[in-house]
Amino acid sequence: MCIYSIVVPAYNEEANIRALYDRLLAVMEPLKETWELIFVNDGSRDRTLEELEALAKVDNRVRFIDLTRNFGHQAALSAGLAHANGKAVISMDCDLQDPPELIVEMISKWREGFDIVYAQRLNYRKDNFLKRSGSKLYYRMLDKFSDVKIPRNVGDFRLVDRRVLETVNNMEEGSRYLRGMVAWTGFKYTTVDYQRPDRESGESEYTLSQLTRLAMSGLFNFSIIPLKFGLYLGILSIFMGICFLGYMTWDVVIVGAKYEFFKFLVVVLFIFMGFLFILMWLLGEYIGRIYNEVRKRPVYLVNKMGNFEGESVSLQHKD
Ligand code: UDP
Ligand code: MG
């Protein structure tokens, strides 16, 4: 058991591993506390694994997990988190975009009693316009729709207390949106600010489709609002159908206009389509419920208990 675990997923990061290790060393050694560094090699195609093996030989606090193939960032991070032993666990990227020096500040917040410390970036990266504005819009949408408050502009650079870690490790859901899962636990959190620098070396391996998938996980795993669209669409369709029908009837009865029969049919169809949409929403509600049941999130988490014999630490209830 050590005090701190640092978990780093790495995909084609041969050039960054040493540099990250050196900078972490400079940050962690002065603390004079025990720590471990867990790398997860996410099926890299370069010499990442060799670098990790070499590093693990010279420093036994460096551990690594080599995955059989590329499973993606969130999966790799989950693997690392599942094997972290520390009382506080820090997750960060391998490409030095998450400055190790910030860890000191995160640790002091943890010592103050926060269970979760997010690193919140102040600037937007020199990404292209699409990624930048997409990212902004996305966070705004997520904020509006999602049932849990996921702080804006935080990535996967964070520190979590052991009890948060264990809750997240116990969540069995397959599509993992870790920052949302961490936020979901509801433990006391705070943020520390930083300027996110550009990637030290190599290219970002996150493709647009991976990024989209991540964004979708965030939206769909943490809100069932999209299911409600059927209801709104249905109501709109029925309302419009009724208006058209009313207008036509008025036209025929009062003005004396002549309408072909199929024109009435079209309007009636509008109304029926509305019912169809509403039916789809109803189905969606059931599906949403099934989804909530199958992923078996705990029903609640306890922060503290008073006057219960011997059970003063966090309890986790699983239904
Ligand atoms: N990464 C990973 N598997 C992947 C893609 C990325 O483990 O399939 C790791 C990568 O090595 C880095 C972190 O996830 O440590 C973030 O990746 P990247 O820098 O490409 O993302 P960005 O900074 O653009 O969000
Ligand atoms: Mg990066």
Side-chain angles (χ1 to χ4, degrees):
M1 190 80 172
C2 51
I3 311 284
Y4 306 113
S5 297
I6 301 165
V7 178
V8 185
Y11 180 50
N12 298 342
E13 303 277 9
E14 55 179 8
N16 293 324
I17 284 167
R18 267 298 158 148
L20 177 68
Y21 171 74
D22 288 341
R23 273 176 68 183
L24 277 171
L25 215 56
V27 171
M28 299 307 288
E29 289 299 67
L31 296 178
K32 302 252 178 292
E33 284 173 301
T34 52
W35 55 284
E36 63 176 358
L37 174 56
I38 300 177
F39 282 103
V40 183
N41 178 29
D42 188 16
S44 301
R45 283 174 273 109
D46 63 357
R47 294 185 44 80
T48 300
L49 183 62
E50 284 83 346
E51 284 287 326
L52 293 178
E53 280 168 339
L55 199 57
K57 269 200 195 101
V58 295
D59 189 340
N60 63 6
R61 291 170 299 187
V62 178
R63 308 188 158 148
F64 65 88
I65 299 165
D66 182 38
L67 302 183
T68 51
R69 64 166 172 88
N70 179 256
F71 283 94
H73 179 208
Q74 298 289 300
L77 191 53
S78 299
L81 293 177
H83 290 91
N85 298 305
K87 289 198 165 74
V89 179
I90 298 132
S91 52
M92 63 192 301
D93 285 359
C94 196
D95 55 5
L96 296 166
Q97 281 188 298
D98 299 337
E101 293 70 30
L102 204 67
I103 292 176
V104 178
E105 209 180 318
M106 294 164 98
I107 286 174
S108 77
K109 291 280 185 203
W110 174 64
R111 294 251 175 241
E112 275 173 39
F114 291 100
D115 292 303
I116 306 167
V117 186
Y118 298 103
Q120 189 167 38
R121 55 172 181 264
L122 294 174
N123 59 326
Y124 268 87
R125 293 167 275 174
K126 272 196 276 171
D127 285 326
N128 59 33
F129 177 74
L130 198 72
K131 202 167 166 184
R132 210 172 46 224
S133 46
S135 172
K136 267 191 188 150
L137 185 74
Y138 173 69
Y139 281 118
R140 200 164 302 162
M141 223 159 72
L142 194 62
D143 208 35
K144 241 192 151 65
F145 287 165
S146 124
D147 324 321
V148 292
K149 285 291 150 244
I150 304 171
R152 261 190 226 185
N153 297 341
V154 305
D156 281 303
F157 188 18
R158 76 179 92 81
L159 178 151
V160 298
D161 184 81
R162 176 108 219 132
R163 54 188 191 154
V164 180
L165 181 83
E166 271 166 15
T167 313
V168 171
N169 283 345
N170 281 332
M171 291 186 189
E172 291 162 14
E173 54 207 84
S175 81
R176 300 182 84 75
Y177 186 67
L178 285 162
R179 63 196 78 159
M181 289 156 73
V182 165
W184 178 90
T185 64
F187 285 108
K188 202 163 119 179
Y189 73 88
T190 186
T191 55
V192 294
D193 296 336
Y194 75 115
Q195 299 280 340
R196 192 174 168 97
D198 287 320
R199 210 170 212 290
E200 197 77 4
S201 156
E203 279 290 301
S204 171
E205 298 280 351
Y206 250 112
T207 59
L208 192 62
S209 79
Q210 273 177 319
L211 210 60
T212 315
R213 219 176 313 150
L214 183 72
M216 302 265 280
S217 293
L219 213 57
F220 288 108
N221 295 11
F222 287 91
S223 114
I224 48 169
I225 297 275
L227 286 177
K228 304 234 190 281
F229 285 143
L231 177 65
Y232 304 138
L233 223 60
I235 290 173
L236 186 75
S237 186
I238 291 176
F239 177 74
M240 276 167 63
I242 288 174
C243 285
F244 288 146
L245 196 66
Y247 171 76
M248 272 182 164
T249 314
W250 180 77
D251 222 18
V252 169
V253 175
I254 310 292
V255 184
K258 247 183 85 67
Y259 275 95
E260 317 268 358
F261 180 63
F262 79 89
K263 288 187 179 163
F264 276 104
L265 268 185
V266 169
V267 167
V268 171
L269 266 181
F270 239 93
I271 297 172
F272 271 104
M273 238 159 56
F275 284 115
L276 220 61
F277 281 132
I278 289 179
L279 205 65
M280 281 164 84
W281 158 67
L282 281 177
L283 286 178
E285 282 289 325
Y286 282 107
I287 293 170
R289 259 146 246 253
I290 293 170
Y291 177 54
N292 272 333
E293 291 297 329
V294 295
R295 69 179 165 186
K296 294 205 211 95
R297 291 237 181 109
V299 179
Y300 56 80
L301 296 172
V302 175
N303 184 33
K304 243 188 233 166
M305 289 173 80
N307 280 342
F308 279 86
E309 291 296 311
E311 297 183 70
S312 56
V313 274
S314 72
L315 284 185
Q316 187 187 333
H317 174 84
K318 215 160 186 191
D319 205 359

